[in-house]
């Protein structure tokens, strides 16, 4: 502990993220073994040369990732998350993400740093690989909760299994027939997608603007490789989907987070000189707010002035619950907006059926570079998707799914308002989770720890933010039954009563001292 010093900062890295990375690296290199009790936060902050608040923010993030555990009046102890992948030794290559030329450290798939492999031989990883590994947010897995509200869980009872399997069966014989290669995907599917997006999402799309993908993440990777490199700037919302930030940052470009408020992205805070901006205007992830008309126009004007492209992730549009979803941004500026979509949440995650819509010039570049990095998704899935869209089966499925998801949300909102009176529990218009801001003096560490003791799993927001977004948690509700939703809300009511100021054994200030 006496030799612990702050690591060299990465470009654009916030102070609390730097502290979190320093401590995470000390844990995974074995400098801070499991069970080590950290000094009081004032003393540790002085040793690292940062403010007390910065240290508290870093420890909040590390607790969410599983690297530390609050122990009430006993302080905070080190906890090593379970890693389910082989440990490899990796030399750090000099450059923006490193501590300096020749300095060796180790990393593992999933982010962070690990102990060396037994034979000690390093893998000659590229700077891109190291950035990609460091940019990922680990899921602290292995926990089993009586009620699991963590986001990202599949909802199999809402998938249109019969319609999908029938479409697959109808198309199965066709995939073996000779067919001309199309780097964008089958024209039949692209026509069905263009018709659907124009009619249902207010897009301005022709089939030659559509490329089929394996999902949003593969599309982000392809676009980041084409447009970004060290020295360029990309913009993301803050907080945002961690996979988007990781894909953009892996290129070596600087990635800047722009704050989000109750009206979505703060367009007045957009920096000049960016090449790409990743946004979720229809349903901001994770706050679930929608970007207003004035800010949409401001975002488009900014992109035109900067000669930048907007990457619009329309991930939740098909699960808009209370009214017709706002039209896509792409319909306002098809020359500046690249629309990304996937059917993994609304259809089935196994289909790998995603798409992007881009100006023809962008698609020409993507089809030229695609053979080096990616393959088209399966033709059978693509043709089945065309049938499901064109036949009306998808629209019928969505009506049923929206009704079921909305009903589950109503149950959870009502139960939370009963068991947590006075908390800011609000329904959302789109998506499969609730965003719950934490009223003072609550912190994410407090809420996650207390909820876990009552057998309830929640998702923190801190790992999704670079700039210290106000504390909040996410509650995924679509995968749970009515009984589980009401039980979970009751357990949370028990867990979060009384508040931290009535119980000095909880809370960041008391537990981290």
């Amino acid at each position: 502990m006496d030799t612990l010093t702050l690591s060299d900062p990465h470009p654009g890295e916030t102070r609390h993220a730097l502290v979190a990375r320093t401590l995470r690296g000390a844990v995974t290199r074995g400098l801070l073994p499991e069970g080590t009790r950290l000094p009081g936060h004032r003393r540790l902050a002085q040793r690292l040369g940062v403010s007390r608040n910065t240290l508290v923010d870093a420890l909040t993030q590390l607790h969410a990732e599983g690297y530390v555990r609050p122990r009430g009046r006993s302080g905070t102890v080190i906890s090593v998350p379970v890693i389910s992948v082989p440990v490899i030794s990796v030399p750090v290559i000099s450059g923006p993400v490193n501590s300096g030329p020749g300095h060796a450290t180790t990393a593992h798939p999933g982010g962070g740093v690990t102990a060396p492999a037994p034979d000690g031989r390093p893998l000659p990883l590229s700077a891109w690989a190291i950035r990609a590994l460091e940019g990922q947010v680990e899921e602290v897995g292995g926990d089993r909760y009586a009620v699991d509200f963590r986001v990202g869980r599949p909802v199999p009872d809402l998938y249109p299994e019969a319609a999908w399997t029938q479409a697959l069966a109808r198309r199965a014989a066709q995939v073996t027939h000779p067919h001309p290669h199309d780097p964008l995907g089958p024209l039949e599917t692209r026509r069905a997608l263009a018709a659907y997006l124009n009619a249902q999402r207010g897009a301005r799309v022709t089939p030659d603007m559509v490329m089929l993908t394996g999902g949003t993440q593969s599309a982000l990777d392809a676009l980041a490789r084409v447009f970004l490199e060290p020295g360029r700037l990309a913009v993301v919302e803050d907080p945002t989907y961690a996979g988007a930030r990781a894909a953009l940052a892996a290129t070596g470009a600087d990635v800047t987070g722009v704050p989000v408020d109750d009206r979505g992205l703060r367009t007045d805070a957009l920096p000049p000189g960016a090449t790409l901006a990743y946004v979720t205007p229809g349903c901001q992830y994770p706050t679930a707010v929608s970007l207003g008309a004035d800010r949409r126009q401001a975002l488009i004007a900014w992109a035109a002035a900067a000669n930048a492209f907007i990457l619009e992730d329309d991930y939740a549009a098909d699960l808009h619950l209370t009214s017709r979803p706002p039209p896509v941004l792409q319909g306002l500026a098809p020359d500046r907006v690249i629309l990304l979509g996937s059917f993994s949440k609304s259809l089935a995650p196994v289909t790998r059926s995603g798409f992007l819509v881009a100006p023809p010039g962008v698609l020409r570049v993507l089809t030229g570079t695609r053979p080096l990095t990616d393959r088209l998704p399966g033709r059978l899935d693509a043709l089945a998707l065309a049938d499901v869209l064109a036949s009306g089966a998808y629209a019928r499925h969505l009506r049923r799914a929206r009704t079921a998801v909305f009903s589950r949300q109503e149950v959870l909102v009502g139960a939370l308002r009963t068991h947590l009176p006075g908390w800011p529990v609000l329904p959302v218009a789109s998506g499969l989770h609730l965003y719950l801001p934490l009223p003072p003096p609550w912190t994410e560490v407090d809420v996650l720890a207390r909820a876990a003791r009552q057998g309830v799993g929640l998702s923190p927001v801190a790992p999704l933010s670079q700039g210290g977004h106000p504390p909040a948690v996410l509650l995924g509700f679509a995968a749970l039954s009515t009984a589980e939703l009401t039980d979970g809300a009751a357990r949370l009511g028990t867990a979060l009563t009384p508040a931290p100021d009535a119980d000095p054994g909880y809370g960041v200030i008391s537990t981290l001292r």
Side-chain angles (χ1 to χ4, degrees):
M1 181 66 72
D2 292 337
T3 61
L4 186 65
T5 58
L6 208 58
S7 301
D8 292 338
H10 292 173
E13 187 174 34
T14 61
R15 200 70 170 162
H16 86 271
L18 173 59
V19 174
R21 180 165 59 84
T22 298
L23 294 175
R24 188 188 302 111
V27 173
T28 53
R29 287 198 304 273
L31 300 179
L32 294 177
E34 184 162 15
T36 300
R37 184 174 178 272
L38 293 179
H41 69 284
R42 286 189 181 87
R43 188 150 56 96
L44 183 55
Q46 289 174 354
R47 181 171 299 165
L48 294 173
V50 299
S51 71
R52 180 183 176 200
N53 288 341
T54 296
L55 177 68
V56 168
D57 288 343
L59 291 173
T60 299
Q61 178 171 333
L62 291 173
H63 178 264
E65 296 174 3
Y67 286 95
V68 298
R69 291 195 308 269
R71 289 291 194 185
R73 294 178 183 273
S74 299
T76 299
V77 298
I78 296 299
S79 172
V80 181
V82 176
I83 305 300
S84 60
V85 296
V87 176
I88 56 176
S89 178
V90 178
V92 170
I93 302 168
S94 61
V97 301
N98 305 327
S99 301
H103 178 77
T105 179
T106 55
H108 67 273
V113 185
T114 69
D119 60 14
R121 291 181 297 175
L123 292 177
L125 294 190
S126 68
W128 178 90
I130 295 171
R131 287 190 296 262
L133 298 176
E134 289 184 343
Q136 296 179 35
V137 174
E138 292 184 34
E139 174 69 25
V140 181
D143 299 299
R144 294 294 180 267
Y145 296 104
V147 181
D148 194 349
F149 285 118
R150 290 180 297 177
V151 298
R153 300 178 62 206
V155 192
D157 64 314
L158 296 184
Y159 298 150
E161 185 175 353
W164 182 249
T165 54
Q166 289 168 11
L168 289 174
R170 283 193 301 270
R171 292 290 194 164
Q174 298 181 23
V175 297
T176 60
H177 296 169
H179 59 272
H181 173 70
D182 191 330
L184 298 179
L187 178 59
E188 184 176 353
T189 307
R190 292 187 285 114
R191 283 173 174 161
L193 274 167
Y196 175 77
L197 292 170
N198 291 335
Q200 300 298 324
R201 300 299 297 116
R204 291 162 59 189
V205 183
T206 56
D208 61 345
M209 297 169 65
V210 179
M211 171 186 275
L212 301 189
T213 70
T216 299
Q217 194 65 43
S218 66
L220 284 169
D221 176 66
L223 290 162
R225 290 173 185 266
V226 164
F227 286 109
L228 297 178
E229 61 188 358
R232 291 193 174 181
L233 175 65
V235 170
V236 297
E237 298 163 323
D238 193 333
T240 193
Y241 166 52
R245 185 192 295 126
L248 303 181
T251 65
D254 294 338
V255 180
T256 295
V258 176
V260 168
D261 61 20
D262 59 358
R263 296 177 56 226
L265 179 74
R266 285 267 313 278
T267 51
D268 62 318
L270 285 165
T275 302
L276 294 178
Y278 171 82
V279 297
T280 51
C283 178
Q284 201 280 326
Y285 187 87
T287 65
V289 300
S290 179
L291 192 65
D294 57 337
R295 292 193 179 182
R296 288 173 176 245
Q297 293 292 346
L299 176 59
I300 292 169
W302 168 85
N307 193 26
F309 282 105
I310 301 166
L311 308 185
E312 178 182 14
D313 188 348
D314 198 35
Y315 76 97
D318 285 344
L319 291 170
H320 206 81
L321 307 179
T322 56
S323 61
R324 188 176 180 86
V328 292
L329 197 65
Q330 188 272 349
L332 297 176
D335 59 332
R336 281 288 158 204
V337 179
I338 300 174
L339 178 64
L340 311 176
S342 169
F343 293 90
S344 63
K345 289 183 174 63
S346 58
L347 193 56
V350 296
T351 64
R352 305 290 296 164
S353 295
F355 62 89
L356 66 81
V357 174
V362 173
L363 282 192
R364 282 194 294 272
V365 174
L366 291 174
T367 54
T369 58
R370 183 174 209 167
L372 303 180
T373 60
D374 192 17
R375 297 177 63 187
L376 276 171
R379 183 174 175 83
L380 177 57
D381 276 0
L383 294 174
L385 176 62
D387 279 358
V388 170
L389 288 173
S391 68
Y394 184 62
R396 291 190 295 273
H397 152 66
L398 284 184
R399 287 194 290 271
R400 293 191 297 269
R402 287 168 179 156
T403 299
V405 172
F406 180 64
S407 175
R408 293 173 193 184
Q409 180 185 214
E410 281 191 311
V411 169
L412 178 58
V413 169
L416 288 173
R417 286 174 173 171
T418 297
H419 294 286
L420 291 173
W423 281 58
V425 180
L426 297 174
V428 293
S430 293
L432 304 177
H433 70 264
L434 292 183
Y435 174 85
L436 183 61
L438 304 184
W442 288 102
T443 69
E444 292 180 25
V445 170
D446 295 325
V447 172
L448 265 65
R450 288 201 187 187
R453 290 187 179 95
Q454 290 295 324
V456 177
L458 304 170
S459 289
V461 170
L464 308 180
S465 174
Q466 290 177 300
H469 189 75
V473 294
L474 308 180
L475 290 83
F477 56 83
L480 300 175
S481 67
T482 296
E484 289 172 318
L485 294 169
T486 53
D487 179 38
R491 288 171 180 265
L492 283 177
T494 300
L496 304 181
T497 305
D501 57 358
D503 182 356
Y506 293 93
V508 170
I509 299 301
S510 59
T511 59
L512 302 181
R513 295 194 302 147

